[in-house]
Amino acid sequence: MRRSEPATAPASTGSESLAAAYRRFVMRRVLLLVSLAAAVVVSVVVDLAIGPAALSVLDVAGGLIHPASLDATTRVIIWEVRLPYALMALVVGASLGLAGAEMQTALNNPLASPFTLGIGAAATLGASIVIVFNIAPFGLPPSVMLPLSAFVFAAAAALVVLSLSRALGASVHTVVLFGIALLFGLNAVVGLLQFVADADALQQLVFWTMGSLARASMDKLLLVAAVLALCLPFSMRHAWAMTALRGGEEQARSVGIRVERLRLIVLLRVSLLTAAALAFVGEIGFIGLVGPHIARLVLGEDHRLFLPGSALAGALLMSCASIASKSLVPGVVLPVGIVTALVGIPLFISLILMRGRSE
Amino acid sequence: MSLEIDNLSVGYRKRPVLRDISLSAIAEGSVVAVIGPNAVGKSTLLKALAGTLRHEGRLRLNGASLAELAHRIRAQRVGYLPQALPQASTLVAYEAIYSACRAIRGDLSAEHLRAAIESIFATLGIRNLALRRLSEMSGGQRQMIGLAQVLVRDPELLLLDEPTSALDMHWQLNVLNTVRERTRADGSIALVASHDINLASRFCDQLLVLSRGGLEAMGPPAEVLSSQMLRTVYGVEARIESCSLGQPLVLADQAVKGGHSLD
């Protein structure tokens, strides 16, 4: 604190109450959140317009509002072929963005993402085991077994890391180190499975690790959307506590927030979101890392806005990646997981540089 | 309002830090400075009272056992300012304070909370920081925000761990004066861990001196401070002078060689 600083409040808070000034401050951010949502809508419409059958953005927008105005072929293309694909990008991006935001706050680490602590790798291992050994207990189809196994492994990974950390009274840094060790271990097991897999299973495994929206369908989309819809209200219930946690772990603990319990609940929720998102599209990197960074830059860290903002930023990134996957090589749809990494790395570096300059 | 401590023992893993500390009732309206050299357990004592460290022994606030209070009730009645400064995140000061209150006090009306925040920013003279990001603040400014976060909850027992460590003289006096006026006005109790003995003597009613052996002394500054005590506890040669206001003033001359370890 320096006495050379103005003793009176600046013009923005001088004449009005702090509450009123803060309300205006929050309203500006709400407008930015709404703008982000609008950008997502535009992106989805553009995503729907892009494909082998040439459709204009206006045709698509009109067709979404009045499906009856479309001819039968266009209706099928928009509603049955492209919409599940575009919406899957949206829902998976939102799930990974939300999971990344919660992870970064819970672990107090801006480099955390659903892949930190090996949660993403565990989901991949769960899926790999089902693919390689063709496991189908009680006659459950692969469409059920794959996400189920991915979730069980993801949750187990989170629990293993947390239990180890709790038993040793470890700090957040140690939790992250345990997670990184687990990540390498799980990747090695997945590598071993690839080594023993037959040609057919190996192809499925490679396809999974590339991440692709091509497997999207309405029923899968509804399941991922249901998990997101289930998790988001619980995430928002913890918005105040998570905001307070950003003020410092000791400060949060001193006001009565049970930080360890909050961290456990958040990691379980992240496991669920990640497993559901990855189960049907395979590994998608960077969305969970970059989405929250964009939201933080635009909206700050009041989690009432930061959490939905991260979901929207994740959705926007994924939707843009979907557009790029269809546009980069004419006539070819690249696996979206490759595109997110290609686009994500330069975007992430530019974000870091921007932050460096602003600081 | 009173605070009683009975046979308090606290340790980290198997290393005991505080052993069988007992204090007769600390009266309402008191400001007690917790002093002593590094690593004798000043912060540990405050953390045990705040309920963030496991401990043995009985702690009573106004007759009620702190251990038996529900977690949230204890956090409302006991306000603890950790030694660590608030994190340099992109939160603005207003939302750091507002969210900390909202996270555990869903019952408070938004109107009541806004008025309390307005009042604490004005009392501490930091209104100009309300919409500034923590990441854009100096250490001292963040320390003031941490203090506001504690005071806004209006606790009965204030536990402040080196609350002025990052502040210049003006703000040190401002903070301790605010704490003293507050305890006298509402009868609350404040325990302030500090390394600044002269500042502590000026603003606190009693000094609680901790040494490696546990509780060394407790009483008004004029009674507790002596050259002998400073040599034994701190390992320094020091004189106790009397200032023009009649208050004791410690003038440290030199460290006693081998008289003090940092174990």
Side-chain angles (χ1 to χ4, degrees):
Chain A
M1 180 68 53
R2 293 183 184 85
R3 267 185 295 162
S4 54
E5 284 165 359
T8 54
S12 61
T13 54
S15 53
E16 63 183 334
S17 71
L18 290 180
Y22 180 62
R23 203 174 300 122
R24 276 196 298 114
F25 177 79
V26 171
M27 277 315 293
R28 275 201 301 275
R29 288 178 165 180
V30 169
L31 284 178
L32 288 169
L33 185 72
V34 172
S35 309
L36 196 56
V40 171
V41 173
V42 171
S43 174
V44 169
V45 173
V46 173
D47 192 13
L48 287 172
I50 289 177
L55 296 173
S56 74
V57 169
L58 286 178
D59 286 343
V60 171
L64 286 175
I65 297 164
H66 301 293
S69 67
L70 299 169
D71 62 72
T73 314
T74 312
R75 192 161 61 235
V76 168
I77 290 173
I78 292 179
W79 283 89
E80 290 175 28
V81 180
R82 293 189 188 171
L83 198 62
Y85 192 104
L87 291 183
M88 189 60 127
L90 207 71
V91 176
V92 166
S95 299
L96 294 177
L98 178 62
E102 294 210 55
M103 199 76 161
Q104 288 177 9
T105 296
L107 297 181
N108 193 24
N109 189 332
L111 290 177
S113 80
F115 286 87
T116 319
L117 303 196
I119 291 177
T124 301
L125 178 61
S128 304
I129 288 172
V130 172
I131 292 169
V132 173
F133 299 111
N134 205 13
I135 297 170
F138 314 113
L140 288 171
S143 61
V144 175
M145 268 315 291
L146 214 73
L148 189 65
S149 177
F151 169 66
V152 169
F153 274 75
L159 284 175
V160 164
V161 175
L162 277 176
S163 309
L164 272 174
S165 309
R166 281 178 77 122
L168 299 173
S171 67
V172 161
H173 301 295
T174 319
V175 175
V176 174
L177 285 176
F178 278 143
I180 290 171
L182 191 66
L183 172 68
F184 281 106
L186 290 168
N187 280 343
V189 180
V190 171
L192 190 67
L193 285 177
Q194 286 178 337
F195 185 70
V196 300
D198 61 36
D200 193 34
L202 185 61
Q203 194 185 17
Q204 284 187 62
L205 267 176
V206 170
F207 198 55
W208 162 278
T209 53
M210 280 180 183
S212 170
L213 292 165
R215 283 159 277 181
S217 66
M218 250 335 167
D219 54 340
K220 292 172 184 171
L221 168 69
L222 287 175
L223 189 64
V224 185
V227 170
L228 177 63
L230 188 75
C231 289
L232 190 59
F234 287 101
S235 303
M236 294 306 290
R237 262 191 67 187
H238 287 140
W240 287 123
M242 291 174 83
T243 306
L245 194 54
R246 290 299 297 142
E249 185 167 331
E250 279 217 59
Q251 278 70 18
R253 203 170 274 132
S254 80
V255 297
I257 295 167
R258 295 185 170 199
V259 176
E260 281 74 21
R261 197 168 72 168
L262 178 66
R263 194 168 281 144
L264 176 70
I265 294 169
V266 165
L267 290 183
L268 285 176
R269 195 159 53 226
V270 167
S271 308
L272 184 59
L273 281 166
T274 308
L278 300 189
F280 300 111
V281 295
E283 277 188 31
I284 307 280
F286 284 100
I287 301 289
L289 180 67
V290 180
H293 277 272
I294 293 174
R296 192 176 289 113
L297 272 176
V298 177
L299 303 165
E301 292 186 282
D302 176 343
H303 280 55
R304 290 174 302 163
L305 303 172
F306 175 59
L307 292 176
S310 296
L312 285 174
L316 181 62
L317 280 174
M318 194 67 184
S319 190
C320 290
S322 167
I323 294 169
S325 73
K326 291 185 280 184
S327 325
L328 285 177
V329 182
V332 176
V333 180
L334 294 172
V336 77
I338 294 174
V339 179
T340 58
L342 282 177
V343 175
I345 291 169
L347 189 66
F348 187 56
I349 291 171
S350 62
L351 280 176
I352 292 169
L353 289 176
M354 271 171 63
R355 203 173 67 165
R357 273 196 213 109
S358 70
E359 283 171 2
Chain B
M1 189 74 55
S2 68
L3 174 69
E4 295 161 67
I5 299 177
D6 257 347
N7 297 104
L8 174 69
S9 295
V10 196
Y12 294 98
R13 308 246 168 129
K14 286 177 182 167
R15 188 173 70 88
V17 176
L18 295 174
R19 257 178 292 192
D20 289 332
I21 302 278
S22 292
L23 298 177
S24 52
I26 296 174
E28 66 176 30
S30 299
V31 181
V32 179
V34 183
I35 63 169
N38 293 319
V40 289
K42 300 186 294 297
S43 300
T44 303
L45 173 64
L46 300 193
K47 283 179 187 171
L49 284 164
T52 62
L53 262 188
R54 280 189 189 168
H55 58 80
E56 288 169 22
R58 274 186 306 177
L59 307 171
R60 291 181 173 276
L61 182 61
N62 209 16
S65 166
L66 284 176
E68 287 165 19
L69 290 179
H71 187 73
R72 283 179 179 228
I73 302 293
R74 183 170 180 161
Q76 283 166 30
R77 294 183 63 181
V78 180
Y80 166 56
L81 175 73
Q83 200 176 103
L85 303 178
Q87 186 165 271
S89 66
T90 58
L91 288 182
V92 298
Y94 194 99
E95 65 197 2
I97 295 170
Y98 193 83
S99 62
C101 293
R102 266 276 165 264
I104 56 159
R105 295 294 304 270
D107 56 317
L108 280 181
S109 74
E111 203 172 317
H112 172 91
L113 193 51
R114 284 187 203 119
I117 294 176
E118 190 90 37
S119 161
I120 202 67
F121 270 102
T123 303
L124 291 174
I126 53 170
R127 217 168 169 268
N128 55 321
L129 299 180
L131 295 184
R132 196 177 297 178
R133 290 178 172 195
L134 295 176
S135 59
E136 293 166 358
M137 290 185 191
S138 69
Q141 289 169 328
R142 278 188 282 134
Q143 193 159 42
M144 292 298 290
I145 301 306
L147 187 69
Q149 209 172 42
V150 175
L151 293 179
V152 76
R153 281 147 49 206
D154 217 9
E156 297 161 39
L157 174 62
L158 266 177
L159 305 166
L160 309 177
D161 198 348
E162 298 192 31
T164 58
S165 60
L167 302 176
D168 67 29
M169 280 192 287
H170 171 87
W171 292 97
Q172 287 177 6
L173 297 172
N174 180 19
V175 164
L176 290 176
N177 203 37
T178 303
V179 170
R180 192 174 61 182
E181 281 179 3
R182 186 184 172 282
T183 54
R184 290 197 177 152
D186 64 10
S188 56
I189 294 170
L191 262 65
V192 184
S194 177
H195 278 300
D196 190 333
I197 299 179
N198 286 327
L199 197 65
S201 307
R202 176 90 189 268
F203 284 95
C204 301
D205 306 297
Q206 299 192 70
L207 297 183
L208 190 164
V209 187
L210 292 176
S211 69
R212 305 245 175 264
L215 180 62
E216 182 73 21
M218 186 171 170
E223 288 177 21
V224 167
L225 291 175
S226 69
S227 297
Q228 175 62 37
M229 184 278 282
L230 293 168
R231 190 181 309 113
T232 314
V233 174
Y234 283 93
V236 294
E237 295 294 349
R239 287 165 286 146
I240 314 295
E241 306 273 335
S242 180
C243 78
S244 58
L245 296 175
Q247 289 171 335
L249 194 64
V250 175
L251 297 169
D253 293 318
Q254 61 178 346
V256 176
K257 280 188 181 168
H260 185 50
S261 79
L262 261 181
D263 183 23

